[in-house]
């Protein structure tokens, strides 16, 4: 029997196991027009999906011993047509074509083996179409992992993290609230996920953050240890899930839109400060009363875009050129990296050593984030100088010099952090000095002073 939302390829694999055969042997019942996608290491991706033509669907129904109508209800890809196999002179033959699951019917995740055994009598691997907002198996307390990544785990244990399970139970109520507000639940979740995933990266520098490290260690079986970077990738979505649900719920509240409006100054715009009421309130809602000033210092974030759209709508102001005004629309560049993508980068960076290694493999996430943060802060200081050349000479000079000196100090700090990382990676001091436009002696003195300052 098929599982609800199961990939067709997953069902074929389970049927093959029932017959005591390899999945590749059963796939010979169809003429395959291509091969399944593989990881860089050569293994077939678990989210490789197969699309069948009309004759091929009949073969699968006969193989399973169930009515085609049952497969139509259970398998999202069962009725998907591919012109290369559903038309032409060979359309009467049972044919199949391999596709990526996400291109057929959406995100794919591993199914819970305990649930599969309960439904089918066999504790086999199954892969299902499961959106990220529904990844908790409530019956067994498991987080179901993405099936497109090259890593061995199928789930993470949530038995010591009841708040993650509780967040999954709250989500249907948040989804209903989104529908009442005229917002697609998937849109609300996607935006909230992007907001919190950005916090997850920044939290490496949040000294007061204690919740996420505790959750991550539980997800890692008690201690992430020397594989902290790997676990931060694999465990991210499970660790931040309660905050994602809380943020989605908060942004759907009309009261929060009102707070954002008042914090912006209403019809008389004002500069956002560390005491921004909206940021303070959002920090409270995610259980971090200290988070307000951190959020207020953010620029060019999904959260700021949401607030900007809300405020511009009330002021009847146009948005950025070419931008369709929608608070829930997420820019492509603001979409968080997937687990599969991050693991591919991690694997590529570990393949070479010494100064020839990849930057991300040598420089810690904390140091990379600090460099990026310094550059962003410097950029923000310079952006504020647009249109400053009006007023008295003293006013303009003071504004220019204050902002330029601040940005110069920030760039100097970024230079020291970058040069330190490059030298530590094994790059010759003379080369780093030339790139920094300093002599080797001057750079050595700068690095020494930087170490003392740190």
């Amino acid at each position: 029997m098929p599982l609800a939302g199961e990939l067709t390829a997953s069902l074929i694999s389970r049927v093959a196991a029932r017959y005591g055969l390899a999945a590749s042997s059963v796939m010979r019942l169809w003429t395959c027009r291509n091969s399944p996608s593989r990881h860089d290491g050569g293994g077939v991706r678990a989210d490789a999906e197969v699309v069948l033509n009309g004759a091929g669907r009949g073969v699968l129904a006969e193989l399973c011993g169930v009515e085609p109508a049952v497969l139509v209800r259970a398998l999202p890809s069962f009725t998907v047509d591919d012109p290369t196999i559903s038309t032409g002179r060979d359309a009467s033959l049972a044919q199949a074509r391999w596709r990526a699951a996400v291109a057929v019917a959406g995100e794919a995740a591993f199914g819970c083996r305990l649930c599969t055994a309960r439904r089918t009598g066999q504790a086999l691997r199954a892969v299902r179409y499961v959106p990220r907002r529904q990844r908790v198996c409530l019956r067994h307390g498991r987080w179901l992992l993405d099936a497109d990544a090259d890593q061995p785990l199928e789930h993470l244990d949530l038995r010591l993290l009841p708040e993650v399970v509780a967040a999954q139970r709250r989500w249907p109520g948040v989804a209903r609230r989104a529908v009442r507000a005229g917002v697609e639940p998937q849109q609300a979740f996607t935006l909230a996920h992007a907001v919190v995933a950005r916090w997850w990266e920044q939290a490496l520098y949040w000294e007061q953050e204690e919740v996420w490290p505790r959750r991550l260690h539980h997800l890692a079986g008690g201690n992430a240890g020397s594989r902290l970077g790997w676990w931060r990738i694999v465990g991210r979505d499970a660790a931040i899930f309660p905050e994602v649900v809380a943020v989605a719920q908060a942004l759907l509240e009309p009261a929060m839109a009102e707070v954002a409006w008042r914090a912006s100054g209403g019809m008389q715009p004002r500069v956002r400060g560390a005491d921004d009421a909206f940021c303070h309130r959002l920090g409270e809602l995610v259980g971090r009363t200290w988070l307000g000033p951190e959020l207020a210092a953010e620029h060019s974030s999904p959260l700021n875009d949401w607030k900007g759209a809300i405020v511009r709508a009330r002021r009847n102001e146009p948005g950025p050129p070419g931008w369709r005004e929608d608070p829930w629309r997420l820019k492509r560049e603001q979409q968080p990296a997937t687990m599969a993508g991050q693991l591919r980068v991690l694997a590529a960076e570990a393949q070479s050593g010494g100064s020839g290694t990849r930057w991300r493999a040598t420089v810690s996430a904390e140091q990379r984030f600090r460099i990026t943060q310094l550059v962003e802060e410097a950029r923000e200081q310079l952006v504020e100088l647009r249109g400053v050349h009006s007023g008295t000479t003293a006013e303009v000079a003071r504004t220019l010099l204050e902002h330029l000196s601040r940005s110069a100090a920030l760039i100097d700090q970024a230079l020291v952090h970058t040069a330190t990382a490059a030298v530590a990676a094994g790059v010759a001091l003379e080369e780093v000095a030339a790139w920094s436009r300093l002599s080797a002696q001057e750079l050595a003195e700068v690095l020494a002073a930087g170490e003392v300052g740190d």
Side-chain angles (χ1 to χ4, degrees):
M1 291 296 292
L3 302 172
E6 189 173 11
L7 272 65
T8 300
S10 172
L11 175 60
I12 292 173
S13 179
R14 289 196 303 105
V15 170
R18 176 71 76 176
Y19 283 107
L21 299 171
S24 58
S25 299
V26 176
M27 284 302 302
R28 292 172 184 166
L29 295 172
W30 296 271
T31 300
C32 294
R33 294 295 186 179
N34 60 347
S35 300
S37 300
R38 294 178 178 273
H39 294 296
D40 293 339
V44 176
R45 286 174 45 158
D47 70 328
E49 175 63 299
V50 69
V51 175
L52 308 175
N53 66 354
R57 293 167 197 151
V59 170
L60 180 59
E62 184 177 356
L63 184 67
C64 295
V66 298
E67 293 295 325
V70 175
L71 299 178
V72 169
R73 290 193 298 270
L75 307 179
S77 67
F78 189 69
T79 57
V80 173
D81 280 321
D82 189 313
T84 59
I85 58 176
S86 61
T87 59
R89 62 183 181 181
D90 294 331
S92 59
L93 302 176
Q95 297 186 71
R97 186 172 179 82
W98 289 98
R99 302 270 297 276
V102 69
V104 177
E107 300 169 342
F110 293 106
C112 173
R113 289 205 182 210
L114 297 179
C115 290
T116 302
R118 185 171 180 270
R119 176 80 171 85
T120 68
Q122 288 182 300
L124 299 175
R125 189 185 82 174
V127 184
R128 300 171 54 228
Y129 289 102
V130 186
R132 206 171 304 279
R133 62 184 186 272
Q134 295 174 347
R135 290 294 178 83
V136 177
C137 173
L138 296 174
R139 181 182 296 275
H140 300 110
R142 292 177 167 184
W143 178 271
L144 308 178
L145 290 169
D146 294 346
D148 61 344
D150 189 6
Q151 58 85 31
L153 301 180
E154 295 182 12
H155 71 271
L156 300 176
D157 194 340
L158 301 177
R159 285 177 294 180
L160 295 178
L161 298 174
E163 66 269 30
V164 180
V165 178
Q168 184 68 84
R169 296 186 187 279
R170 289 200 310 275
W171 171 253
V174 178
R176 289 192 293 271
R177 180 169 296 180
V179 172
R180 291 196 297 269
V183 179
E184 288 288 337
Q186 177 62 33
Q187 271 193 307
F189 182 87
T190 299
L191 178 66
H193 182 263
V195 168
V196 183
R198 182 182 175 94
W199 297 352
W200 175 258
E201 298 303 321
Q202 296 170 337
L204 288 167
Y205 273 89
W206 291 348
E207 295 181 0
Q208 293 172 281
E209 179 56 53
E210 298 177 350
V211 176
W212 283 341
R214 175 185 61 82
R215 283 190 199 150
L216 188 61
H217 285 302
H218 282 315
L219 292 169
N223 188 0
S226 60
R227 302 188 70 197
L228 178 61
W230 189 87
W231 278 109
R232 276 184 55 80
I233 294 172
V234 174
R236 180 195 66 184
D237 290 345
I240 68 176
F241 188 67
E243 286 75 19
V244 173
V245 174
V247 168
Q249 181 174 352
L251 298 185
L252 289 165
E253 291 283 357
M256 283 300 287
E258 184 64 28
V259 172
W261 168 249
R262 293 179 180 177
S264 72
M267 297 304 293
Q268 297 180 335
R270 60 169 175 261
V271 177
R272 182 176 58 202
D275 60 345
D276 184 88
F278 176 85
C279 296
H280 179 72
R281 178 58 181 154
L282 193 57
E284 289 180 335
L285 291 175
V286 295
R288 294 162 175 80
T289 56
W290 48 266
L291 187 55
E294 299 286 350
L295 301 184
E298 273 196 317
H299 293 270
S300 302
S301 70
L303 185 61
N304 284 336
D305 285 353
W306 181 88
K307 290 164 57 183
I310 293 293
V311 171
R312 285 192 297 270
R314 291 205 180 190
R315 291 177 184 157
N316 293 319
E317 295 177 353
W323 177 253
R324 179 171 57 84
E325 198 66 275
D326 181 359
W328 302 98
R329 184 178 181 183
L330 183 66
K331 296 177 182 177
R332 182 182 297 274
E333 62 270 20
Q334 292 177 341
Q335 295 174 357
T338 64
M339 179 175 71
Q342 292 181 85
L343 289 177
R344 283 196 297 272
V345 171
L346 194 66
E349 290 168 350
Q351 289 180 354
S352 58
S355 62
T357 189
R358 298 289 292 271
W359 175 259
R360 290 173 61 93
T362 305
V363 184
S364 67
E366 293 87 348
Q367 197 166 6
R368 296 197 309 271
F369 177 75
R370 181 57 179 157
I371 293 169
T372 301
Q373 189 180 47
L374 289 168
V375 173
E376 283 296 312
E377 290 176 3
R379 184 185 65 81
E380 290 161 11
Q381 291 290 331
L382 296 175
V383 167
E384 292 182 10
L385 293 179
R386 291 176 179 172
V388 74
H389 298 283
S390 61
T392 66
T393 302
E395 290 173 343
V396 173
R398 183 187 66 186
T399 302
L400 282 169
L401 291 173
E402 286 180 350
H403 283 73
L404 289 171
S405 62
R406 289 174 192 160
S407 61
L410 292 166
I411 289 297
D412 284 342
Q413 293 180 53
L415 184 148
V416 172
H417 280 280
T418 304
T420 301
V423 172
V427 182
L429 180 68
E430 291 74 13
E431 287 188 281
V432 178
W435 300 332
S436 306
R437 297 190 177 183
L438 298 171
S439 69
Q441 182 178 352
E442 287 173 330
L443 178 60
E445 293 173 354
V446 168
L447 297 182
E451 290 178 2
V452 173
D454 288 343

